[in-house]
Amino acid sequence: MSSLINGIFASARQRAYLALLLAVAVGLTEGITLLLLLPLLQLAGVAVEGSVGGLSNGLASVFDGAGIPRTLVAVLLVYVIITIVQATLVRAKAIVDANAVHDYATSLRTRLYSAIARAEWLVLSRIRSSDVTFALTTAVDRAESGASNVLHFIASSLIALVYTGLALRVSPQMTLIVLGAAVMLLVLERARTALGLDRGEKVATTTRELYATAAEQLGGLKTAKSYGQEERHLALFLGTGLQVNAARLALTRAFASLRWRTTVGSVLALSLILYLAVGVMRLPTAAILLLLFIFSRLVPRLVNLQQTFQEILSTVPALATIERLIAECEKNPERIDSAERPLTLGEGIELRDVSFSYGDSRELQLRSVDLVIPAGRTTAIVGASGAGKSTIADMLLGLIQPTQGKVLVDGTALDPAHLQSWRSQIGYVGQDTFLFNDSVRANLAWASPAASEAEMLTGLENSAAIEFVSALPHGIDTVIGERGARLSGGERQRLSLARALLRNPRLLVLDEATSALDSENEERIYSAIQRLHGEMTIVVITHRLSTIRNADVIHVLDKGALVGTGSWDSLIASGVLRSPSGAGQGAG
């Protein structure tokens, strides 16, 4: 709960303090409306004496000092005015609370996304994307709900203090009895408080797993349908959904039971108070009426405070999930030197004695690799799956650093001081296309926001995409669906290539960019790439030998080691490569 409070006052300081001031003002107006009952009782003929009489005399002095006659019309008019003021304050507080909570949620979501975006790639690769989605959406929403309840809890506590103060002024004994009963209820609920926290943790955990299951099942839905396994697919998803429902129902039952116990307890307490006030303590009628009115508002508010506290605790696990993810990412930030130094590619890229292993793994993905990628040429890096090709691609992009050795660009080490400059010169197309559910134009502009339409059309032309884009219903302004669902696989890849080319890159990296395509679409893309030969440095990473015949240099990897370098003909002649009989055959 402390993390929620600290977060609110850190992200929405002014609004949070304004919310507190408004809560105090609302509490004071609540007290004033209660005090206005005294002259109404007197006007109704009820004798007002004792401690209540002292309060009445003080209020009478205020009326006389303000020149307000103590008539029914005047008292009711004052009551209406104070109530309007109170309603206005409550309205203002609701708006301020909403803005403060919105600021908190926005700040929390921004912190989380910033931490994720700035973390090392190796850290991000170990985190499930569904966990990130859960944290950014449901978990933040739960934390936002908790923040709203915190402000409500604080405001209700202040108002309860006002009621308690008035009740103590009327009858200290009766008030202490009520407070004692409230403390007893809290003690009885103490054991269940931890249970509520545990159930909140189960809701957070099962909901996170539901996100993961949904992502996996939707990703495999095409395979499930092709196998005729839709029902089994559905059963797996529903199984996780039932766990979430069970956890949420347990939490709901806990809240419902709490409301039942506190409601019954408050009724018994009020009945006992009335019995003691009338039958034992023989309090004056005015005091009894005023106490009953105060306690009828105070006791439910105390009950509500207990319920709100439980609801706050149920949101704590969601916030803890967010904070853990932020801490994990912030502990491993990508090192980018603020003193950025320019880095240009004019001669070539060299991997010098490069080795690499992921995390704590002792298994090397790359083993003392030495290779050169000449500038302005087309270089192919080939090998079977797991040979280390994509690891080299990630190094060229600056996403990972060698465990041993160096990556040099024109003789300069690619280090944190050069990353921003280097990445601004790269175009990248991977196997998995990254496209927005937006127009072709918007997808192209994402890579180069300042690009003109003429530049976009040139990029489409150079990627052999202009023909199919022109045939779309609205041309370049056609919305292509989620992840480009309204396009074929080849069209998506050509559009991704056009986007990469729009950056006018010095280095174009194609990492298995055609591995999922048929030979016709693959040929279209590589024909487009051939037209770019000599205009930029191109690195083609693939396991298909049929696509690299025209590469200037070919590097062959096997189990993380470089086993051959040369032209197509020399590597075929030496036996490092086997001449493919089909389009899909790999290095041998």
Side-chain angles (χ1 to χ4, degrees):
M1 184 170 173
S2 61
S3 58
L4 276 171
I5 296 174
N6 292 336
I8 294 169
F9 282 90
S11 59
R13 184 178 299 275
Q14 293 182 346
R15 282 173 171 157
Y17 282 113
L18 180 58
L20 284 181
L21 289 175
L22 288 171
V24 172
V26 170
L28 291 176
T29 54
E30 284 266 358
I32 293 172
T33 55
L34 285 173
L35 290 175
L36 287 175
L37 289 174
L38 295 175
L40 289 174
L41 289 174
Q42 287 179 317
L43 291 170
V46 177
V48 177
E49 55 190 19
S51 58
V52 177
L55 286 172
S56 180
N57 292 333
L59 188 60
S61 299
V62 173
F63 269 66
D64 294 340
I68 302 173
R70 280 177 277 164
T71 63
L72 180 60
V73 173
V75 172
L76 287 176
L77 183 60
V78 171
Y79 181 81
V80 169
I81 292 172
I82 296 298
T83 302
I84 292 174
V85 171
Q86 182 190 19
T88 303
L89 290 171
V90 169
R91 177 181 178 276
K93 182 182 178 303
I95 295 172
V96 171
D97 282 2
N99 281 317
V101 169
H102 172 74
D103 289 347
Y104 168 70
T106 300
S107 174
L108 186 61
R109 191 174 276 116
T110 301
R111 277 183 60 215
L112 174 57
Y113 194 87
S114 296
I116 293 168
R118 293 168 181 163
E120 286 184 347
W121 181 250
L122 288 180
V123 173
L124 297 180
S125 65
R126 293 195 294 264
I127 300 173
R128 293 187 303 185
S129 60
S130 59
D131 288 348
V132 174
T133 303
F134 167 77
L136 285 168
T137 54
T138 300
V140 172
D141 288 344
R142 292 289 293 158
E144 183 177 10
S145 173
S148 178
N149 280 325
V150 164
L151 291 179
H152 175 69
F153 185 87
I154 294 172
S156 294
S157 298
L158 291 172
I159 295 173
L161 285 175
V162 172
Y163 288 145
T164 303
L166 287 173
L168 285 169
R169 184 68 177 79
V170 175
S171 176
Q173 300 93 334
M174 292 298 300
T175 304
L176 291 175
I177 290 173
V178 172
L179 293 178
V183 170
M184 287 180 62
L185 284 174
L186 290 176
V187 171
L188 291 173
E189 291 295 332
R190 185 178 178 183
R192 294 185 177 91
T193 297
L195 185 60
L197 185 61
D198 177 66
R199 285 171 176 161
E201 176 67 42
K202 287 182 179 177
V203 168
T205 301
T206 54
T207 304
R208 187 169 62 247
E209 290 306 312
L210 181 63
Y211 270 73
T213 301
E216 291 173 354
Q217 301 298 335
L218 288 174
L221 189 56
K222 183 176 182 179
T223 302
K225 289 183 72 66
S226 66
Y227 286 6
Q229 294 291 332
E230 295 95 332
E231 293 302 319
R232 184 182 176 194
H233 221 52
L234 177 63
L236 290 171
F237 177 75
L238 290 181
T240 306
L242 289 174
Q243 293 178 12
V244 174
N245 290 341
R248 290 180 177 173
L249 285 173
L251 189 61
T252 301
R253 281 195 295 269
F255 286 154
S257 298
L258 173 64
R259 282 192 293 271
W260 184 89
R261 290 190 300 270
T262 51
T263 300
V264 172
S266 63
V267 168
L268 293 175
L270 282 173
S271 300
L272 177 62
I273 290 164
L274 183 60
Y275 172 77
L276 292 174
V278 176
V280 178
M281 302 181 70
R282 309 286 183 182
L283 292 179
T285 302
I288 292 173
L289 291 174
L290 188 57
L291 279 174
L292 279 177
F293 191 81
I294 292 173
F295 290 149
S296 67
R297 291 192 174 189
L298 175 60
V299 173
R301 195 166 292 276
L302 293 175
V303 170
N304 181 260
L305 282 174
Q306 172 66 4
Q307 294 173 355
T308 303
F309 183 70
Q310 289 278 17
E311 289 173 4
I312 292 171
L313 288 181
S314 72
T315 65
V316 169
L319 179 58
T321 296
I322 296 170
E323 294 293 350
R324 281 195 301 268
L325 188 52
I326 290 175
E328 183 179 359
C329 292
E330 289 183 342
K331 185 173 64 176
N332 300 282
E334 185 175 45
R335 295 185 300 115
I336 297 180
D337 198 329
S338 57
E340 180 67 25
R341 295 194 292 274
L343 185 67
T344 57
L345 175 58
E347 299 175 7
I349 306 168
E350 179 185 359
L351 272 65
R352 184 180 296 173
D353 192 29
V354 166
S355 296
F356 181 81
S357 63
Y358 286 98
D360 298 329
S361 173
R362 295 182 180 180
E363 182 180 356
L364 292 175
Q365 270 66 45
L366 294 177
R367 306 169 185 273
S368 301
V369 172
D370 290 290
L371 61 82
V372 174
I373 299 171
R377 304 284 183 165
T378 299
T379 300
I381 301 175
V382 301
S385 177
K389 305 184 301 298
S390 291
T391 301
I392 289 180
D394 289 345
M395 280 188 185
L396 294 177
L397 299 174
L399 294 176
I400 59 177
Q401 297 294 321
T403 306
Q404 170 190 305
K406 294 180 179 180
V407 177
L408 305 170
V409 179
D410 288 359
T412 301
L414 181 58
D415 57 26
H418 300 96
L419 278 181
Q420 290 287 26
S421 171
W422 177 240
R423 288 176 180 170
S424 68
Q425 305 173 61
I426 295 176
Y428 172 75
V429 182
Q431 179 177 354
D432 297 322
T433 52
F434 166 62
L435 297 171
F436 295 100
N437 183 21
D438 208 330
S439 65
V440 172
R441 184 191 303 275
N443 275 278
L444 293 174
W446 178 84
S448 182
S452 65
E453 181 164 347
E455 290 172 325
M456 291 183 182
L457 294 175
T458 299
L460 292 171
E461 181 72 37
N462 290 337
S463 63
I466 189 67
E467 183 179 348
F468 84 80
V469 169
S470 299
L472 292 173
H474 302 288
I476 197 171
D477 292 309
T478 302
V479 176
I480 59 176
E482 185 177 2
R483 298 181 65 87
R486 296 174 186 173
L487 304 178
S488 69
E491 290 169 344
R492 289 196 294 269
Q493 290 295 69
R494 279 180 278 163
L495 184 56
S496 295
L497 178 58
R499 182 170 61 188
L501 296 178
L502 197 59
R503 291 169 57 84
N504 294 316
R506 289 180 179 271
L507 172 65
L508 177 63
V509 179
L510 306 176
D511 184 9
E512 298 284 8
T514 62
S515 61
L517 303 182
D518 57 39
S519 57
E520 181 180 352
N521 276 305
E522 185 177 51
E523 180 61 31
R524 285 178 177 174
I525 288 178
Y526 279 106
S527 294
I529 293 171
Q530 281 299 313
R531 292 198 296 269
L532 301 171
H533 185 270
E535 295 183 18
M536 62 186 67
T537 304
I538 301 174
V539 177
V540 178
I541 296 173
T542 182
H543 65 278
R544 288 184 174 181
L545 298 186
S546 59
T547 61
I548 60 170
R549 290 177 182 271
N550 297 319
D552 297 299
V553 181
I554 301 172
H555 299 293
V556 184
L557 293 176
D558 183 32
K559 297 179 181 178
L562 184 66
V563 296
T565 294
S567 66
W568 171 268
D569 291 335
S570 65
L571 290 173
I572 290 292
S574 65
V576 175
L577 291 181
R578 293 196 305 269
S579 180
S581 57
Q585 192 166 332

